[in-house]
Amino acid sequence: MLLSTGRKDLSHRPAAWGEVPLAPADLSIPSGSGSPSESTTKVGYNLLAWSPGLSEALLPALDRLQAIGYDGVECPLGTRDGAIYAPFGQRLKDLGLEATCSMSLGPEENPISESAAVRQSAVDRLKWAVDRAEELTAGLICGPIHSAAGTFSGHPPQDQEVAWSADVLREAGEYAAQADVTLALEALNRFECYLCNTMEQTGRLVEQIDHPNVTVHFDTHHANIEEKDMAAAIGRVAPMLGHVHLSENDRGTPGSGLVPWDEAFAALADHEYQGWLTLEAFTRSDPAFASDLHVWRAYDEPWHMAEQGYAFVQSMRERYGL
């Protein structure tokens, strides 16, 4: 998940990376056969591979992702100008693609701030995000929205901070329920946040929130850093697991690195997970955003990630009956 999208308006960024190519010439394109008819999961691709915000420049990528076989895309909510969301959602609808959304919060809208005004800003921002999700016809917003990404206090998480986060997210969850939108809270590694680093911490927070529209978001990249047993981590939150990110240990193409993929997919199958399997990979297509994320080198080209990543995930779904 992105580190700092919540900190600033990123709507100007697309000019930095320019037009999205429809497909590279040197890669074979998988057939757009879609998901197996018996599948209980859907496969998505996070548009953060190109940009932290939506713009018209991303529209050609939707056609290519649909042709590859993706069921939908994950739309980053980094663009504060709301004008793009409804037409973007209409284009998705025209292509038969579904959508989820991803976001993070900055220090000025931190759910665990000592300031009641800042915590109210977090509620307001999350309600704004629900409205944008409605325009995209997205049923889910994921990300580390339990606290401000990249913001540290110098101490471990406090009970009061957990309580503040729960209060903010319970109110946001109630608003989301009216729009039939689910919030999914993502644990980040210790270098990106401190409130929720593990599934144990995130599961306890969701239990404290106790709202059906607030669930857990599992990310293989962060789990590979923080969890001692990936299967046990998935098992801990299985009843409340609402979203899954498939992200490699180096943020490159899923399946090309050190994440214990068989363990993760086997655990998801054992617990009969039914939801999105969204590929999240990062590039230096947008140098400023990549620097915010501490992505200092190019792992793979975006279309290599999209195409080879899709083929890998399809093979794992077939192997484990997802």
Short mmCIF file of all heavy atoms in Angstrom, two decimals, residues 208-274:
data_model
loop_
_atom_site.label_atom_id
_atom_site.label_comp_id
_atom_site.label_asym_id
_atom_site.label_seq_id
_atom_site.Cartn_x
_atom_site.Cartn_y
_atom_site.Cartn_z
N GLN A 208 -12.60 -4.54 18.05
CA GLN A 208 -13.00 -3.43 18.91
C GLN A 208 -13.95 -2.50 18.18
O GLN A 208 -14.89 -1.95 18.79
CB GLN A 208 -11.77 -2.67 19.39
CG GLN A 208 -12.07 -1.57 20.41
CD GLN A 208 -10.81 -1.08 21.10
OE1 GLN A 208 -9.84 -1.82 21.24
NE2 GLN A 208 -10.82 0.16 21.58
N ILE A 209 -13.74 -2.29 16.90
CA ILE A 209 -14.65 -1.46 16.11
C ILE A 209 -16.03 -2.09 16.05
O ILE A 209 -17.06 -1.41 16.17
CB ILE A 209 -14.09 -1.25 14.69
CG1 ILE A 209 -12.78 -0.45 14.76
CG2 ILE A 209 -15.09 -0.53 13.79
CD1 ILE A 209 -11.97 -0.50 13.49
N ASP A 210 -16.05 -3.39 15.82
CA ASP A 210 -17.29 -4.18 15.86
C ASP A 210 -18.36 -3.62 14.93
O ASP A 210 -19.48 -3.33 15.34
CB ASP A 210 -17.81 -4.26 17.30
CG ASP A 210 -18.94 -5.29 17.45
OD1 ASP A 210 -18.99 -6.24 16.64
OD2 ASP A 210 -19.75 -5.14 18.38
N HIS A 211 -17.98 -3.46 13.67
CA HIS A 211 -18.94 -2.98 12.66
C HIS A 211 -18.81 -3.87 11.42
O HIS A 211 -17.69 -4.12 10.95
CB HIS A 211 -18.68 -1.52 12.29
CG HIS A 211 -19.81 -0.90 11.52
ND1 HIS A 211 -20.07 -1.20 10.20
CD2 HIS A 211 -20.76 -0.01 11.91
CE1 HIS A 211 -21.13 -0.51 9.81
NE2 HIS A 211 -21.57 0.22 10.82
N PRO A 212 -19.91 -4.34 10.86
CA PRO A 212 -19.82 -5.28 9.73
C PRO A 212 -19.19 -4.70 8.48
O PRO A 212 -18.74 -5.46 7.62
CB PRO A 212 -21.28 -5.67 9.48
CG PRO A 212 -22.09 -4.57 10.09
CD PRO A 212 -21.31 -4.10 11.27
N ASN A 213 -19.12 -3.38 8.37
CA ASN A 213 -18.53 -2.76 7.19
C ASN A 213 -17.07 -2.38 7.39
O ASN A 213 -16.49 -1.68 6.56
CB ASN A 213 -19.34 -1.54 6.77
CG ASN A 213 -20.64 -1.93 6.10
OD1 ASN A 213 -21.55 -2.41 6.76
ND2 ASN A 213 -20.72 -1.75 4.79
N VAL A 214 -16.46 -2.86 8.47
CA VAL A 214 -15.03 -2.64 8.70
C VAL A 214 -14.36 -4.00 8.86
O VAL A 214 -14.69 -4.77 9.77
CB VAL A 214 -14.78 -1.77 9.95
CG1 VAL A 214 -13.28 -1.52 10.11
CG2 VAL A 214 -15.53 -0.45 9.85
N THR A 215 -13.44 -4.30 7.95
CA THR A 215 -12.81 -5.61 7.88
C THR A 215 -11.29 -5.48 7.86
O THR A 215 -10.74 -4.38 8.00
CB THR A 215 -13.28 -6.36 6.62
OG1 THR A 215 -12.84 -5.62 5.45
CG2 THR A 215 -14.80 -6.49 6.58
N VAL A 216 -10.61 -6.60 7.64
CA VAL A 216 -9.15 -6.65 7.62
C VAL A 216 -8.65 -6.78 6.18
O VAL A 216 -9.24 -7.48 5.36
CB VAL A 216 -8.63 -7.83 8.46
CG1 VAL A 216 -7.11 -8.00 8.29
CG2 VAL A 216 -8.96 -7.62 9.93
N HIS A 217 -7.54 -6.13 5.91
CA HIS A 217 -6.85 -6.18 4.62
C HIS A 217 -5.48 -6.83 4.85
O HIS A 217 -4.67 -6.32 5.62
CB HIS A 217 -6.73 -4.75 4.08
CG HIS A 217 -5.85 -4.57 2.90
ND1 HIS A 217 -5.58 -3.32 2.38
CD2 HIS A 217 -5.16 -5.44 2.12
CE1 HIS A 217 -4.77 -3.43 1.34
NE2 HIS A 217 -4.49 -4.71 1.17
N PHE A 218 -5.23 -7.94 4.17
CA PHE A 218 -3.97 -8.68 4.29
C PHE A 218 -3.09 -8.39 3.08
O PHE A 218 -3.54 -8.51 1.94
CB PHE A 218 -4.25 -10.18 4.39
CG PHE A 218 -3.03 -11.04 4.48
CD1 PHE A 218 -2.36 -11.19 5.68
CD2 PHE A 218 -2.53 -11.71 3.37
CE1 PHE A 218 -1.22 -11.99 5.78
CE2 PHE A 218 -1.40 -12.50 3.45
CZ PHE A 218 -0.74 -12.64 4.67
N ASP A 219 -1.84 -8.05 3.33
CA ASP A 219 -0.88 -7.74 2.26
C ASP A 219 0.34 -8.63 2.43
O ASP A 219 0.99 -8.63 3.47
CB ASP A 219 -0.48 -6.26 2.34
CG ASP A 219 0.42 -5.81 1.21
OD1 ASP A 219 1.52 -6.38 1.07
OD2 ASP A 219 0.04 -4.88 0.47
N THR A 220 0.68 -9.40 1.38
CA THR A 220 1.77 -10.36 1.49
C THR A 220 3.13 -9.69 1.68
O THR A 220 4.01 -10.26 2.33
CB THR A 220 1.82 -11.26 0.24
OG1 THR A 220 1.95 -10.45 -0.94
CG2 THR A 220 0.56 -12.13 0.14
N HIS A 221 3.31 -8.50 1.12
CA HIS A 221 4.59 -7.80 1.28
C HIS A 221 4.84 -7.48 2.75
O HIS A 221 5.92 -7.78 3.29
CB HIS A 221 4.60 -6.52 0.45
CG HIS A 221 5.77 -5.61 0.74
ND1 HIS A 221 7.01 -5.80 0.19
CD2 HIS A 221 5.87 -4.52 1.54
CE1 HIS A 221 7.84 -4.87 0.62
NE2 HIS A 221 7.18 -4.08 1.45
N HIS A 222 3.87 -6.86 3.40
CA HIS A 222 4.04 -6.47 4.79
C HIS A 222 4.08 -7.70 5.70
O HIS A 222 4.87 -7.74 6.65
CB HIS A 222 2.92 -5.52 5.20
CG HIS A 222 2.90 -4.26 4.41
ND1 HIS A 222 3.91 -3.33 4.48
CD2 HIS A 222 2.00 -3.78 3.51
CE1 HIS A 222 3.66 -2.32 3.66
NE2 HIS A 222 2.51 -2.57 3.06
N ALA A 223 3.26 -8.69 5.39
CA ALA A 223 3.26 -9.92 6.20
C ALA A 223 4.60 -10.62 6.10
O ALA A 223 5.07 -11.21 7.08
CB ALA A 223 2.13 -10.85 5.74
N ASN A 224 5.23 -10.57 4.94
CA ASN A 224 6.52 -11.22 4.76
C ASN A 224 7.59 -10.59 5.65
O ASN A 224 8.58 -11.24 5.99
CB ASN A 224 6.94 -11.12 3.29
CG ASN A 224 8.15 -11.96 2.95
OD1 ASN A 224 8.15 -13.16 3.15
ND2 ASN A 224 9.20 -11.31 2.44
N ILE A 225 7.37 -9.34 6.05
CA ILE A 225 8.31 -8.65 6.94
C ILE A 225 7.96 -8.89 8.41
O ILE A 225 8.85 -9.14 9.23
CB ILE A 225 8.30 -7.13 6.65
CG1 ILE A 225 8.81 -6.86 5.23
CG2 ILE A 225 9.13 -6.36 7.67
CD1 ILE A 225 8.66 -5.41 4.79
N GLU A 226 6.67 -8.84 8.73
CA GLU A 226 6.26 -8.77 10.13
C GLU A 226 5.76 -10.08 10.74
O GLU A 226 5.83 -10.25 11.95
CB GLU A 226 5.16 -7.70 10.30
CG GLU A 226 5.61 -6.30 9.95
CD GLU A 226 6.66 -5.74 10.91
OE1 GLU A 226 6.82 -6.30 12.01
OE2 GLU A 226 7.35 -4.78 10.54
N GLU A 227 5.23 -10.98 9.94
CA GLU A 227 4.62 -12.19 10.50
C GLU A 227 5.64 -13.32 10.59
O GLU A 227 6.47 -13.50 9.70
CB GLU A 227 3.44 -12.65 9.63
CG GLU A 227 2.35 -11.59 9.43
CD GLU A 227 1.54 -11.32 10.68
OE1 GLU A 227 1.76 -11.98 11.72
OE2 GLU A 227 0.67 -10.42 10.62
N LYS A 228 5.56 -14.10 11.64
CA LYS A 228 6.43 -15.27 11.78
C LYS A 228 5.86 -16.49 11.06
O LYS A 228 6.58 -17.41 10.69
CB LYS A 228 6.63 -15.59 13.26
CG LYS A 228 7.39 -14.52 14.02
CD LYS A 228 7.62 -14.93 15.45
CE LYS A 228 8.36 -13.85 16.23
NZ LYS A 228 9.70 -13.58 15.67
N ASP A 229 4.54 -16.51 10.86
CA ASP A 229 3.85 -17.64 10.24
C ASP A 229 2.69 -17.07 9.42
O ASP A 229 1.70 -16.61 9.96
CB ASP A 229 3.32 -18.58 11.33
CG ASP A 229 2.69 -19.85 10.77
OD1 ASP A 229 2.01 -19.78 9.73
OD2 ASP A 229 2.85 -20.91 11.40
N MET A 230 2.87 -17.06 8.10
CA MET A 230 1.87 -16.43 7.25
C MET A 230 0.52 -17.13 7.32
O MET A 230 -0.53 -16.49 7.34
CB MET A 230 2.38 -16.36 5.80
CG MET A 230 1.55 -15.43 4.94
SD MET A 230 2.33 -14.99 3.37
CE MET A 230 3.67 -13.92 3.89
N ALA A 231 0.53 -18.46 7.37
CA ALA A 231 -0.73 -19.20 7.46
C ALA A 231 -1.46 -18.89 8.75
O ALA A 231 -2.68 -18.70 8.77
CB ALA A 231 -0.46 -20.70 7.33
N ALA A 232 -0.71 -18.83 9.86
CA ALA A 232 -1.33 -18.51 11.14
C ALA A 232 -1.88 -17.09 11.14
O ALA A 232 -2.94 -16.82 11.73
CB ALA A 232 -0.32 -18.68 12.26
N ALA A 233 -1.18 -16.17 10.49
CA ALA A 233 -1.64 -14.79 10.41
C ALA A 233 -2.97 -14.70 9.66
O ALA A 233 -3.91 -14.02 10.09
CB ALA A 233 -0.59 -13.92 9.73
N ILE A 234 -3.06 -15.41 8.54
CA ILE A 234 -4.32 -15.43 7.78
C ILE A 234 -5.41 -16.08 8.61
O ILE A 234 -6.56 -15.61 8.65
CB ILE A 234 -4.11 -16.14 6.44
CG1 ILE A 234 -3.22 -15.30 5.53
CG2 ILE A 234 -5.46 -16.44 5.76
CD1 ILE A 234 -2.77 -16.00 4.26
N GLY A 235 -5.08 -17.16 9.30
CA GLY A 235 -6.06 -17.83 10.13
C GLY A 235 -6.60 -16.94 11.24
O GLY A 235 -7.78 -17.02 11.59
N ARG A 236 -5.73 -16.09 11.80
CA ARG A 236 -6.15 -15.20 12.88
C ARG A 236 -7.29 -14.28 12.46
O ARG A 236 -8.19 -13.96 13.24
CB ARG A 236 -4.95 -14.37 13.37
CG ARG A 236 -5.28 -13.20 14.31
CD ARG A 236 -5.92 -13.67 15.60
NE ARG A 236 -6.21 -12.57 16.51
CZ ARG A 236 -7.34 -11.86 16.50
NH1 ARG A 236 -8.30 -12.11 15.61
NH2 ARG A 236 -7.51 -10.88 17.38
N VAL A 237 -7.27 -13.82 11.21
CA VAL A 237 -8.26 -12.82 10.77
C VAL A 237 -9.24 -13.39 9.74
O VAL A 237 -10.03 -12.63 9.17
CB VAL A 237 -7.56 -11.58 10.18
CG1 VAL A 237 -6.71 -10.89 11.25
CG2 VAL A 237 -6.70 -11.93 8.96
N ALA A 238 -9.19 -14.69 9.50
CA ALA A 238 -10.02 -15.28 8.43
C ALA A 238 -11.49 -14.88 8.51
O ALA A 238 -12.09 -14.55 7.47
CB ALA A 238 -9.87 -16.79 8.43
N PRO A 239 -12.13 -14.88 9.68
CA PRO A 239 -13.56 -14.54 9.71
C PRO A 239 -13.86 -13.09 9.34
O PRO A 239 -15.01 -12.77 9.01
CB PRO A 239 -13.95 -14.82 11.17
CG PRO A 239 -12.91 -15.73 11.70
CD PRO A 239 -11.66 -15.33 11.00
N MET A 240 -12.83 -12.23 9.43
CA MET A 240 -13.04 -10.81 9.16
C MET A 240 -12.19 -10.32 7.99
O MET A 240 -12.04 -9.13 7.77
CB MET A 240 -12.74 -9.98 10.41
CG MET A 240 -11.31 -10.09 10.89
SD MET A 240 -11.02 -9.41 12.55
CE MET A 240 -11.40 -10.87 13.54
N LEU A 241 -11.64 -11.25 7.20
CA LEU A 241 -10.76 -10.89 6.10
C LEU A 241 -11.57 -10.37 4.92
O LEU A 241 -12.37 -11.10 4.33
CB LEU A 241 -9.92 -12.10 5.68
CG LEU A 241 -8.87 -11.87 4.58
CD1 LEU A 241 -7.89 -10.77 4.98
CD2 LEU A 241 -8.14 -13.17 4.27
N GLY A 242 -11.35 -9.11 4.57
CA GLY A 242 -12.14 -8.48 3.51
C GLY A 242 -11.41 -8.20 2.23
O GLY A 242 -12.03 -7.92 1.21
N HIS A 243 -10.07 -8.28 2.25
CA HIS A 243 -9.32 -7.92 1.05
C HIS A 243 -7.91 -8.47 1.15
O HIS A 243 -7.36 -8.59 2.25
CB HIS A 243 -9.26 -6.39 0.90
CG HIS A 243 -8.87 -5.91 -0.46
ND1 HIS A 243 -9.54 -6.26 -1.60
CD2 HIS A 243 -7.86 -5.10 -0.86
CE1 HIS A 243 -8.99 -5.67 -2.65
NE2 HIS A 243 -7.96 -4.97 -2.23
N VAL A 244 -7.32 -8.79 -0.02
CA VAL A 244 -5.96 -9.33 -0.07
C VAL A 244 -5.17 -8.61 -1.16
O VAL A 244 -5.63 -8.49 -2.30
CB VAL A 244 -5.96 -10.85 -0.32
CG1 VAL A 244 -4.54 -11.35 -0.59
CG2 VAL A 244 -6.58 -11.60 0.85
N HIS A 245 -3.98 -8.15 -0.79
CA HIS A 245 -3.01 -7.64 -1.76
C HIS A 245 -1.92 -8.68 -1.97
O HIS A 245 -1.35 -9.20 -1.00
CB HIS A 245 -2.34 -6.35 -1.24
CG HIS A 245 -3.06 -5.11 -1.63
ND1 HIS A 245 -2.66 -3.87 -1.22
CD2 HIS A 245 -4.16 -4.91 -2.39
CE1 HIS A 245 -3.47 -2.95 -1.71
NE2 HIS A 245 -4.39 -3.57 -2.43
N LEU A 246 -1.62 -8.97 -3.21
CA LEU A 246 -0.53 -9.86 -3.59
C LEU A 246 0.63 -9.00 -4.04
O LEU A 246 0.62 -8.42 -5.12
CB LEU A 246 -0.98 -10.80 -4.71
CG LEU A 246 -2.25 -11.61 -4.42
CD1 LEU A 246 -2.63 -12.45 -5.64
CD2 LEU A 246 -2.08 -12.48 -3.19
N SER A 247 1.64 -8.90 -3.18
CA SER A 247 2.75 -8.00 -3.43
C SER A 247 4.05 -8.70 -3.06
O SER A 247 4.16 -9.29 -1.98
CB SER A 247 2.58 -6.71 -2.62
OG SER A 247 3.51 -5.73 -2.99
N GLU A 248 5.03 -8.61 -3.94
CA GLU A 248 6.28 -9.34 -3.76
C GLU A 248 7.15 -8.65 -2.71
O GLU A 248 6.92 -7.49 -2.35
CB GLU A 248 7.00 -9.44 -5.11
CG GLU A 248 8.13 -10.43 -5.17
CD GLU A 248 7.74 -11.83 -4.68
OE1 GLU A 248 7.26 -12.64 -5.48
OE2 GLU A 248 7.95 -12.08 -3.47
N ASN A 249 8.15 -9.38 -2.21
CA ASN A 249 8.98 -8.82 -1.15
C ASN A 249 9.73 -7.57 -1.60
O ASN A 249 9.97 -6.65 -0.81
CB ASN A 249 10.00 -9.86 -0.66
CG ASN A 249 11.05 -10.21 -1.70
OD1 ASN A 249 10.74 -10.84 -2.70
ND2 ASN A 249 12.30 -9.80 -1.48
N ASP A 250 10.07 -7.46 -2.90
CA ASP A 250 10.76 -6.27 -3.40
C ASP A 250 9.84 -5.33 -4.14
O ASP A 250 10.29 -4.36 -4.75
CB ASP A 250 11.93 -6.68 -4.30
CG ASP A 250 11.47 -7.33 -5.61
OD1 ASP A 250 10.26 -7.63 -5.74
OD2 ASP A 250 12.32 -7.54 -6.49
N ARG A 251 8.53 -5.61 -4.11
CA ARG A 251 7.50 -4.81 -4.80
C ARG A 251 7.52 -4.99 -6.31
O ARG A 251 6.88 -4.23 -7.04
CB ARG A 251 7.64 -3.32 -4.47
CG ARG A 251 7.38 -2.97 -3.02
CD ARG A 251 5.99 -3.36 -2.59
NE ARG A 251 5.53 -2.57 -1.46
CZ ARG A 251 4.32 -2.67 -0.91
NH1 ARG A 251 3.46 -3.56 -1.39
NH2 ARG A 251 3.96 -1.93 0.10
N GLY A 252 8.24 -6.00 -6.79
CA GLY A 252 8.24 -6.29 -8.21
C GLY A 252 7.11 -7.23 -8.59
O GLY A 252 6.08 -7.30 -7.92
N THR A 253 7.28 -7.97 -9.67
CA THR A 253 6.24 -8.86 -10.18
C THR A 253 5.95 -9.98 -9.19
O THR A 253 6.86 -10.71 -8.79
CB THR A 253 6.67 -9.48 -11.51
OG1 THR A 253 6.98 -8.44 -12.44
CG2 THR A 253 5.55 -10.35 -12.09
N PRO A 254 4.70 -10.15 -8.75
CA PRO A 254 4.38 -11.25 -7.84
C PRO A 254 4.77 -12.60 -8.44
O PRO A 254 4.55 -12.87 -9.62
CB PRO A 254 2.86 -11.13 -7.68
CG PRO A 254 2.58 -9.68 -7.88
CD PRO A 254 3.54 -9.26 -8.97
N GLY A 255 5.39 -13.43 -7.60
CA GLY A 255 5.86 -14.73 -8.05
C GLY A 255 7.32 -14.76 -8.41
O GLY A 255 7.87 -15.83 -8.67
N SER A 256 7.99 -13.58 -8.38
CA SER A 256 9.38 -13.53 -8.81
C SER A 256 10.36 -13.39 -7.65
O SER A 256 11.58 -13.34 -7.88
CB SER A 256 9.58 -12.33 -9.76
OG SER A 256 9.39 -11.10 -9.06
N GLY A 257 9.85 -13.37 -6.42
CA GLY A 257 10.73 -13.09 -5.29
C GLY A 257 10.64 -14.11 -4.18
O GLY A 257 10.51 -15.32 -4.43
N LEU A 258 10.64 -13.64 -2.93
CA LEU A 258 10.80 -14.49 -1.76
C LEU A 258 9.53 -14.71 -0.95
O LEU A 258 9.57 -15.45 0.05
CB LEU A 258 11.87 -13.88 -0.83
CG LEU A 258 13.27 -13.72 -1.43
CD1 LEU A 258 14.19 -13.02 -0.43
CD2 LEU A 258 13.84 -15.06 -1.83
N VAL A 259 8.43 -14.12 -1.31
CA VAL A 259 7.19 -14.34 -0.56
C VAL A 259 6.81 -15.83 -0.61
O VAL A 259 6.87 -16.44 -1.70
CB VAL A 259 6.04 -13.48 -1.13
CG1 VAL A 259 4.69 -13.92 -0.57
CG2 VAL A 259 6.28 -12.01 -0.80
N PRO A 260 6.43 -16.44 0.50
CA PRO A 260 6.02 -17.86 0.49
C PRO A 260 4.61 -18.01 -0.07
O PRO A 260 3.63 -18.19 0.65
CB PRO A 260 6.10 -18.25 1.98
CG PRO A 260 5.84 -16.98 2.72
CD PRO A 260 6.47 -15.89 1.87
N TRP A 261 4.52 -17.99 -1.37
CA TRP A 261 3.22 -17.93 -2.04
C TRP A 261 2.38 -19.18 -1.80
O TRP A 261 1.16 -19.08 -1.61
CB TRP A 261 3.42 -17.71 -3.54
CG TRP A 261 3.97 -16.36 -3.85
CD1 TRP A 261 5.22 -16.05 -4.27
CD2 TRP A 261 3.27 -15.11 -3.72
NE1 TRP A 261 5.35 -14.69 -4.42
CE2 TRP A 261 4.17 -14.09 -4.10
CE3 TRP A 261 1.97 -14.76 -3.35
CZ2 TRP A 261 3.82 -12.74 -4.11
CZ3 TRP A 261 1.61 -13.42 -3.34
CH2 TRP A 261 2.53 -12.42 -3.72
N ASP A 262 3.00 -20.34 -1.80
CA ASP A 262 2.21 -21.55 -1.57
C ASP A 262 1.57 -21.53 -0.19
O ASP A 262 0.41 -21.91 -0.03
CB ASP A 262 3.09 -22.79 -1.74
CG ASP A 262 3.37 -23.11 -3.20
OD1 ASP A 262 2.41 -23.45 -3.92
OD2 ASP A 262 4.53 -22.98 -3.64
N GLU A 263 2.30 -21.08 0.79
CA GLU A 263 1.75 -21.00 2.14
C GLU A 263 0.58 -20.03 2.20
O GLU A 263 -0.46 -20.31 2.82
CB GLU A 263 2.85 -20.55 3.12
CG GLU A 263 2.39 -20.49 4.58
CD GLU A 263 3.49 -20.04 5.51
OE1 GLU A 263 4.65 -19.87 5.05
OE2 GLU A 263 3.19 -19.85 6.70
N ALA A 264 0.73 -18.88 1.54
CA ALA A 264 -0.34 -17.88 1.56
C ALA A 264 -1.59 -18.38 0.84
O ALA A 264 -2.70 -18.29 1.37
CB ALA A 264 0.15 -16.58 0.93
N PHE A 265 -1.42 -18.92 -0.37
CA PHE A 265 -2.58 -19.38 -1.13
C PHE A 265 -3.24 -20.58 -0.46
O PHE A 265 -4.47 -20.70 -0.46
CB PHE A 265 -2.18 -19.70 -2.57
CG PHE A 265 -2.21 -18.52 -3.49
CD1 PHE A 265 -1.10 -17.70 -3.62
CD2 PHE A 265 -3.35 -18.21 -4.20
CE1 PHE A 265 -1.12 -16.60 -4.46
CE2 PHE A 265 -3.39 -17.11 -5.05
CZ PHE A 265 -2.28 -16.29 -5.18
N ALA A 266 -2.45 -21.47 0.11
CA ALA A 266 -3.02 -22.63 0.80
C ALA A 266 -3.86 -22.19 1.99
O ALA A 266 -4.95 -22.73 2.24
CB ALA A 266 -1.91 -23.57 1.25
N ALA A 267 -3.37 -21.21 2.73
CA ALA A 267 -4.13 -20.72 3.88
C ALA A 267 -5.41 -20.04 3.44
O ALA A 267 -6.48 -20.23 4.07
CB ALA A 267 -3.27 -19.75 4.70
N LEU A 268 -5.36 -19.24 2.39
CA LEU A 268 -6.57 -18.61 1.89
C LEU A 268 -7.60 -19.66 1.45
O LEU A 268 -8.80 -19.53 1.71
CB LEU A 268 -6.24 -17.67 0.72
CG LEU A 268 -5.43 -16.42 1.08
CD1 LEU A 268 -4.96 -15.72 -0.19
CD2 LEU A 268 -6.25 -15.47 1.94
N ALA A 269 -7.12 -20.71 0.79
CA ALA A 269 -8.02 -21.79 0.37
C ALA A 269 -8.58 -22.55 1.56
O ALA A 269 -9.77 -22.87 1.61
CB ALA A 269 -7.27 -22.74 -0.57
N ASP A 270 -7.74 -22.82 2.55
CA ASP A 270 -8.19 -23.55 3.72
C ASP A 270 -9.31 -22.81 4.44
O ASP A 270 -10.23 -23.45 4.99
CB ASP A 270 -7.03 -23.77 4.70
CG ASP A 270 -6.04 -24.82 4.20
OD1 ASP A 270 -6.39 -25.57 3.27
OD2 ASP A 270 -4.92 -24.87 4.75
N HIS A 271 -9.23 -21.50 4.43
CA HIS A 271 -10.25 -20.69 5.13
C HIS A 271 -11.35 -20.21 4.18
O HIS A 271 -12.16 -19.36 4.56
CB HIS A 271 -9.58 -19.51 5.83
CG HIS A 271 -8.70 -19.93 6.97
ND1 HIS A 271 -9.21 -20.33 8.18
CD2 HIS A 271 -7.35 -20.05 7.07
CE1 HIS A 271 -8.22 -20.65 9.00
NE2 HIS A 271 -7.08 -20.51 8.34
N GLU A 272 -11.35 -20.76 2.96
CA GLU A 272 -12.40 -20.50 1.98
C GLU A 272 -12.60 -19.00 1.74
O GLU A 272 -13.72 -18.48 1.73
CB GLU A 272 -13.71 -21.15 2.42
CG GLU A 272 -13.60 -22.67 2.54
CD GLU A 272 -14.91 -23.33 2.97
OE1 GLU A 272 -15.83 -22.62 3.43
OE2 GLU A 272 -15.01 -24.56 2.84
N TYR A 273 -11.46 -18.32 1.55
CA TYR A 273 -11.52 -16.89 1.26
C TYR A 273 -12.29 -16.62 -0.03
O TYR A 273 -12.05 -17.28 -1.05
CB TYR A 273 -10.10 -16.31 1.15
CG TYR A 273 -10.07 -14.87 0.69
CD1 TYR A 273 -10.53 -13.85 1.52
CD2 TYR A 273 -9.59 -14.53 -0.58
CE1 TYR A 273 -10.51 -12.53 1.10
CE2 TYR A 273 -9.56 -13.21 -1.00
CZ TYR A 273 -10.02 -12.21 -0.15
OH TYR A 273 -10.00 -10.90 -0.58
N GLN A 274 -13.18 -15.67 0.03
CA GLN A 274 -13.94 -15.25 -1.15
C GLN A 274 -13.85 -13.72 -1.24
O GLN A 274 -14.47 -13.02 -0.45
CB GLN A 274 -15.40 -15.69 -1.04
CG GLN A 274 -15.57 -17.19 -0.96
CD GLN A 274 -17.03 -17.60 -0.90
OE1 GLN A 274 -17.93 -16.85 -1.29
NE2 GLN A 274 -17.29 -18.81 -0.41
#
